[in-house]
Amino acid sequence: MPEYDHQEIELKWHDRWKNDPDLYASDAQPGRQRYYVVEMLPYPSGHLHMGHVRNYSIGDALARYMWMRGYDVLHPMGWDAFGLPAENAALKRGRDPREWTIENIAVMKQQMIRMGFAYDWKREFATCEPEYYRWNQWFFLKMLERGLAYRKQALLNWCPECGTVLANEQVVNGCCWRHETTPVEQRALDQWFLKITDYAGELLDDTYERLEGGWPERVLTMQRNWIGRSEGAELDFGLERGGTVRVFTTRVDTIYGATCVILAPEHPLVEGMHAPDLKERVKAMIDSRARKEPSDLVKEGAFTGEYAINPYSRERVPIWIGNFVLMSYGTGAIMAVPAHDQRDFEFCKQYGIEIRPVIRPVDGELPDVSKMSEAYGDYGITENTGQWSGLPSALAKREMTEFAEQNGFGKAATTYRIKDWGISRQRYWGTPIPVIHCEACGIVPVPENQLPVVLPANVKITGKGRSPLENVPEFLNVDCPKCGGKGRRETDTMDTFVDSSWYFYRYCDARNDAAPFDRAKAGQWFPIDQYIGGVTHAILHLIYSRFWTKVMRDMGLIENSEPARNLFTQGMVLKDGTAMSKSKGNVVDPEDMVDKYGADTCRLFVLFAAPPEKDMEWQESAVGGQRRFLERVYRLVTGAAERVHGEADNPTPEDRRALRKLHQTVRKVTGDFDNRWHFNTSIAALMELVNELYEVKDGMTAASRPVVLDDLTLLLAPFAPYMAQELWEQLGHEGPVFRHQWPTFDEELAKEEAAEIPVQVNGKLRARISAPFGTTAAELERLALAEPKVQSFVAGKQVVKVIVVPDKLVNIVVK
RNA sequence: GCCCGGGUGGCGAAAUCGGCAGACGCAACGGACUUAAAAUCCGUUUUCCGGCAACGGGAGUGUGGGUUCAAGUCCCACCCCGGGCACCA
């Protein structure tokens, strides 16, 4: 009896497959159905961990299944050059980040091949390649032309000790990650932004219209909260010193209760105000908030000494500055209605500002100020609100907004929480932003035929100053493309989320050097049928890539409005309760596991241990079970395949049992693939099949054995491709097993000979009866009542009702 | 605070449409084979009560109520765990 030797089998097929570049290559054939599956690309830390293996095992099983269902499947692989970690890790090792990344990508590619993942390597590319930079830059220029890219001053985290800009994730407890006692400051620098807010409405609406059903509700909710639409009005309060200040509110109906106006500390009006100590207090508020200190949850304010005029009541109200008012939301200024907004209530209470209720509950009185302990935030009926008194809130809002529009001091407005996407990074790593600053012409785009602007080699990364590129004169100094005068290249590089926003389009046409991709080719594959990745990207990546898709659609490059029809978020693989990560030192190296147990066992295990959307704790002790299962399969198929006896037209009871279980298993596994991807139950079903086959194998004849062994092998192919391929060959077949047709099942053959029907008395199981399928309700009732055990529970009682679910259950209700 | 998930044996889990709770596997224990071990195969394993036993009976899916002939599954309230957002006017 041959023993299962995973080293030998996996090496054999690995060697054959690696010499066949077309093995997994897919070109869409006319008239055939297509399936495009993409896993989120990995960050090249140099090693896969079990989390990756799980991610790709899911997508790979799906791709192989779809192939077997006769689809043309595109299952490509690309590589993400995730900026900050790559640069930091390279720095630590004193390496050039580009070389470091490319080396790691090569290592990871070998690991992926060894795991037997079915990727179309012809379409491989890395987002740190100059060719990819070129198209990032091309997109940037197109967006600049369309007014979707712009430059403005923004506050950045700055560590005075390092003298450098910090990314948000480098700020730890309000301090620099390298200098843990140096508080981070805010510095105003010019930054590039993409106008994602132009698409905020569509991005939000499509979470209902185009994504509902195909994306996890959890992700859609997170995106909706992130985009955060609120509808209200913008209103101008007159300034006593002249001019106006614009506030945003969702509750115009409460404006008669506004007892002050509060500005964000960063509000431009603050510049011109001169109350004593005001500048210092404002600066302190800004820095404190940047550091996200816990004390920021305590409200703090400063009176500016100035007053504004309520446009409805003409009342004069003081202007304050408040640390809880955000410059980035609405207009950066609010009217405070302490009686009807909890935050305003707390603020005004603290500073002794008047609290004035103007809304009463529909069936109640105006709140009594002396007894109020919190604001009344619900809708109600307006009172003491001039000509709008006595109206329900909703109506008052509408009429008062109209009044503002007619009188030119305001308008209905929709505000979003989402902000424009700041793509500038002051780092070496990333796509250079392709503009030139000319002394005479200002900002000049790099002409398209001069793309790509590439990163210079031999850059010294000192960790000081703004960008390492500023210290490279050959890169920095350039002639203005417009006037030929002295110019200075932009040294900001792009956020690497730009790369990941459209990489899956490049797969369709990875070698195109005339365009990012061909329109027709993208049209063949998009939208992605199935996108698979971790929930960690629910917000940033998955909103940016949706935005990018909509921009490309408006540019006429594609027709789809959303990148992916279906999104699947797989759970994390945990070790000791937390996500595996190198820094925590709790990674499990798949290479060790593959050496020890084999790639098939590893893949089977990560799919079997838990349903794929759930987090799972890594437990090596459980891996042995999967290994044993594969050994059992191997022995069963290779052992049984040799021995053929009996006649095909003379099936034994064992043949019938084997075939019945086979058809049940095909039905189960097919259903799991088509409906819910609970591969743990698919694999459990395969185990049941194998257990049953061990019981009946000695009685099986040619009537069942060939089809049973073939189909078992085919069912195994999406989960354990090496094993399946080896068995496929040993069973006398040729060609890749995953191109063979998926087995079909017959409901009739899957049926048990008789139904085992539980009989309950008052809902409690008392007996089981066996009856042929399709037995009538009346007959089942008679059989159930005739059962001795049932009779002992029914005796002496009155049968009130008998519920019969044919082929399923009998329940006798007695009193 | 708000919004999502989730809570089932010693462990990972299953029960897909309201119909036999614990499939499948891990671990543990017992047995067969073996000089022995490994491997393999067979069996037991939610819990309590009664019984030498076959078996019989009760309880049981975070807690408390409810709907129903029937609830892990539906409804109401609460507790706990995980995640996201967090002064968004």
Side-chain angles (χ1 to χ4, degrees):
Chain A
M1 177 82 56
E3 282 297 316
Y4 170 43
D5 179 344
H6 72 262
Q7 302 272 10
E8 189 187 326
I9 291 171
E10 290 179 5
L11 208 72
K12 165 179 161 188
W13 290 103
H14 173 271
D15 283 349
R16 289 207 207 165
W17 288 342
K18 91 176 170 202
N19 294 325
D20 183 357
D22 289 324
L23 187 68
Y24 301 122
S26 237
D27 287 307
Q29 306 292 327
R32 302 222 9 210
Q33 283 179 295
R34 294 170 189 125
Y35 195 80
Y36 186 15
V37 54
V38 184
E39 293 103 354
M40 284 183 195
L41 32 65
Y43 144 66
S45 63
H47 289 277
L48 293 182
H49 60 64
M50 277 300 162
H52 293 122
V53 171
R54 191 182 194 201
N55 189 183
Y56 304 123
S57 296
I58 296 165
D60 193 69
L62 193 69
R64 288 175 188 271
Y65 172 72
M66 294 310 285
W67 262 310
M68 293 172 85
R69 295 306 297 261
Y71 284 73
D72 282 329
V73 178
L74 177 54
H75 192 217
M77 192 66 240
W79 307 95
D80 189 9
F82 202 91
L84 197 59
E87 190 171 329
N88 287 341
L91 257 177
K92 257 187 216 164
R93 292 165 179 78
R95 301 286 304 276
D96 180 327
R98 284 172 311 176
E99 283 173 26
W100 183 86
T101 304
I102 295 298
E103 270 171 38
N104 286 334
I105 286 175
V107 170
M108 286 181 66
K109 181 175 171 180
Q110 286 314 309
Q111 291 180 319
M112 307 271 289
I113 290 174
R114 195 163 169 209
M115 290 304 302
F117 292 130
Y119 287 118
D120 184 346
W121 298 108
K122 280 179 154 178
R123 299 172 189 264
E124 171 197 20
F125 66 92
T127 60
C128 57
E129 287 167 357
E131 191 61 8
Y132 200 81
Y133 282 177
R134 175 178 174 189
W135 298 114
N136 278 341
Q137 290 165 351
W138 183 84
F139 277 120
F140 179 88
L141 295 178
K142 297 286 169 197
M143 291 201 198
L144 198 60
E145 269 171 37
R146 305 179 139 246
L148 287 170
Y150 66 96
R151 192 169 137 97
K152 74 164 187 202
Q153 236 185 33
L155 292 175
L156 289 181
N157 303 310
W158 179 269
C159 173
E161 193 76 23
C162 309
T164 187
V165 173
L166 299 176
N168 280 336
E169 53 267 44
Q170 291 174 315
V171 179
V172 183
N173 298 324
C175 296
C176 171
W177 63 308
R178 281 186 289 205
H179 304 98
E180 290 175 22
T181 53
T182 311
V184 168
E185 288 176 11
Q186 296 291 287
R187 279 219 179 170
L189 294 170
D190 280 337
Q191 301 283 293
W192 286 97
F193 288 85
L194 299 184
K195 258 189 146 181
I196 196 169
T197 51
D198 271 13
Y199 288 85
E202 196 192 339
L203 286 167
L204 186 73
D205 291 342
D206 277 353
T207 64
Y208 295 98
E209 285 160 26
R210 293 188 213 266
L211 299 181
E212 189 86 55
W215 282 40
E217 203 49 42
R218 181 164 58 132
V219 171
L220 294 180
T221 309
M222 281 162 74
Q223 294 212 352
R224 284 166 196 157
N225 291 341
W226 188 261
I227 297 167
R229 170 156 58 196
S230 40
E231 291 177 12
E234 286 182 5
L235 304 165
D236 291 327
F237 274 64
L239 292 175
E240 231 177 24
R241 62 151 135 149
T244 58
V245 58
R246 178 156 277 216
V247 304
F248 174 75
T249 180
T250 54
R251 295 294 303 273
V252 206
D253 57 316
T254 65
I255 197 165
Y256 277 78
T259 49
C260 66
V261 163
I262 310 178
L263 308 178
E266 301 88 352
H267 198 283
L269 272 179
V270 176
E271 273 294 294
M273 292 178 162
H274 306 288
D277 298 341
L278 194 65
K279 290 261 142 55
E280 292 71 29
R281 294 178 64 187
V282 165
K283 169 100 167 86
M285 283 186 215
I286 293 173
D287 283 341
S288 153
R289 195 151 66 184
R291 279 176 240 136
K292 293 200 172 28
E293 289 171 3
S295 63
D296 290 334
L297 290 174
V298 177
K299 297 205 167 34
E300 207 189 315
F303 178 48
T304 63
E306 299 195 21
Y307 291 85
I309 308 297
N310 183 325
Y312 290 86
S313 65
R314 315 306 307 167
E315 186 184 3
R316 176 177 181 263
V317 294
I319 301 176
W320 284 68
I321 289 164
N323 68 337
F324 69 103
V325 179
L326 306 173
M327 191 58 221
S328 53
Y329 190 76
T331 59
I334 62 162
M335 61 176 201
V337 185
H340 301 294
D341 182 284
Q342 186 57 27
R343 295 152 299 178
D344 299 348
F345 181 86
E346 286 164 20
F347 186 84
C348 293
K349 194 112 186 164
Q350 187 176 330
Y351 290 103
I353 300 163
E354 187 196 346
I355 296 169
R356 187 196 306 155
V358 292
I359 305 283
R360 63 170 174 83
V362 175
D363 50 0
E365 304 273 302
L366 265 192
D368 179 350
V369 178
S370 62
K371 290 184 190 144
M372 278 179 98
S373 59
E374 57 179 34
Y376 173 71
D378 293 343
Y379 276 19
I381 307 294
T382 54
E383 210 169 299
N384 302 327
T385 55
Q387 63 186 100
W388 295 280
S389 287
L391 297 180
S393 292
L395 185 62
K397 273 169 67 170
R398 196 165 348 127
E399 294 194 355
M400 291 173 83
T401 305
E402 274 170 27
F403 181 81
E405 274 167 14
Q406 283 156 13
N407 290 274
F409 67 80
K411 57 169 194 192
T414 302
T415 297
Y416 294 92
R417 207 192 76 110
I418 193 171
K419 293 175 222 162
D420 277 336
W421 175 14
I423 58 159
S424 283
R425 295 291 179 274
Q426 294 70 37
R427 308 197 63 92
Y428 168 68
W429 195 246
T431 310
I433 291 175
V435 299
I436 288 159
H437 301 276
C438 168
E439 283 172 6
C441 320
I443 291 174
V444 181
V446 173
E448 223 175 289
N449 59 16
Q450 288 178 27
L451 300 183
V453 178
V454 293
L455 292 171
N458 304 321
V459 170
K460 260 208 196 104
I461 299 173
T462 58
K464 296 228 187 261
R466 285 186 46 180
S467 163
L469 298 178
E470 295 198 333
N471 306 321
V472 186
E474 315 86 90
F475 180 79
L476 197 62
N477 301 320
V478 64
D479 294 340
C480 170
K482 216 185 212 173
C483 67
K486 243 183 159 185
R488 197 175 161 282
R489 212 179 267 290
E490 172 67 63
T491 55
D492 283 354
T493 50
M494 290 184 206
D495 182 1
T496 49
F497 273 113
V498 169
D499 303 329
S500 57
S501 289
W502 68 279
Y503 72 95
F504 36 75
Y505 286 92
R506 182 73 179 170
Y507 286 145
C508 295
D509 201 7
R511 302 283 168 258
N512 194 330
D513 56 9
F517 53 84
D518 178 71
R519 187 190 147 93
K521 286 184 181 168
Q524 286 177 338
W525 293 106
F526 272 84
I528 295 169
D529 293 283
Q530 190 63 60
Y531 197 33
I532 301 171
V535 73
T536 38
H537 291 108
I539 303 294
L540 298 177
H541 165 57
L542 287 174
I543 286 189
Y544 295 147
S545 55
R546 291 181 58 214
F547 159 69
W548 207 275
T549 289
K550 291 175 191 302
V551 172
M552 291 197 299
R553 176 203 59 196
D554 291 348
M555 288 168 61
L557 276 175
I558 50 173
E559 279 170 47
N560 51 300
S561 290
E562 286 290 341
R565 195 175 283 137
N566 298 294
L567 171 71
F568 186 86
T569 51
Q570 97 276 6
M572 285 183 298
V573 177
L574 308 174
K575 182 81 193 295
D576 311 321
T578 45
M580 283 187 190
S581 87
K582 267 232 158 130
S583 57
K584 285 187 211 121
N586 64 347
V587 288
V588 173
D589 190 340
E591 295 229 40
D592 297 342
M593 300 304 297
V594 170
D595 286 342
K596 198 163 161 192
Y597 298 100
D600 284 335
T601 300
C602 276
R603 294 175 55 166
L604 211 55
F605 174 72
V606 292
L607 294 178
F608 177 74
E613 71 275 10
K614 227 182 128 166
D615 287 351
M616 63 175 265
E617 175 73 25
W618 177 261
Q619 284 181 315
E620 190 175 332
S621 64
V623 180
Q626 306 310 308
R627 168 74 197 197
R628 277 195 287 277
F629 168 63
L630 287 180
E631 284 168 359
R632 271 164 72 76
V633 172
Y634 189 78
R635 282 198 305 270
L636 177 78
V637 176
T638 55
E642 291 162 6
R643 293 178 290 133
V644 177
H645 57 77
E647 295 298 320
D649 50 2
N650 199 9
T652 60
E654 284 84 357
D655 285 326
R656 280 195 293 275
R657 269 184 71 188
L659 285 170
R660 184 187 311 131
K661 193 71 184 172
L662 173 71
H663 282 262
Q664 289 170 351
T665 309
V666 175
R667 180 174 62 190
K668 169 74 184 156
V669 177
T670 306
D672 277 343
F673 266 113
D674 289 344
N675 302 322
R676 55 174 209 173
W677 301 4
H678 279 201
F679 302 127
N680 53 331
T681 59
S682 303
I683 294 165
L686 288 170
M687 289 173 167
E688 281 187 61
L689 172 61
V690 170
N691 289 347
E692 179 112 354
L693 292 180
Y694 263 89
E695 277 177 39
V696 301
K697 67 176 179 350
D698 293 333
M700 283 167 67
T701 69
S704 67
R705 184 176 295 123
V707 61
V708 168
L709 297 184
D710 279 4
D711 284 4
L712 169 63
T713 304
L714 291 168
L715 290 174
L716 201 60
F719 309 113
Y722 285 119
M723 165 71 83
Q725 186 65 61
E726 174 66 19
L727 295 179
W728 193 240
E729 190 187 59
Q730 296 205 19
L731 287 168
H733 303 287
E734 282 180 5
V737 65
F738 72 93
R739 297 279 194 189
H740 193 275
Q741 204 198 326
W742 186 252
T744 54
F745 65 95
D746 181 333
E747 281 293 348
E748 282 307 310
L749 290 173
K751 251 188 192 159
E752 296 289 342
E753 273 159 16
E756 274 276 292
I757 296 173
V759 181
Q760 301 175 331
V761 178
N762 284 348
K764 287 199 171 126
L765 180 69
R766 296 301 178 187
R768 286 171 220 276
I769 54 176
S770 183
F773 281 95
T775 306
T776 62
E779 176 66 6
L780 284 174
E781 181 175 336
R782 196 189 61 76
L783 284 169
L785 285 168
E787 195 70 11
K789 262 187 214 151
V790 174
Q791 282 182 341
S792 71
F793 281 93
V794 173
K797 290 175 183 148
Q798 190 199 340
V799 175
V800 181
K801 203 184 199 181
V802 179
I803 285 113
V804 180
V805 185
D807 299 343
K808 275 275 172 68
L809 162 137
V810 178
N811 190 8
I812 300 161
V813 188
V814 297
K815 206 160 56 174

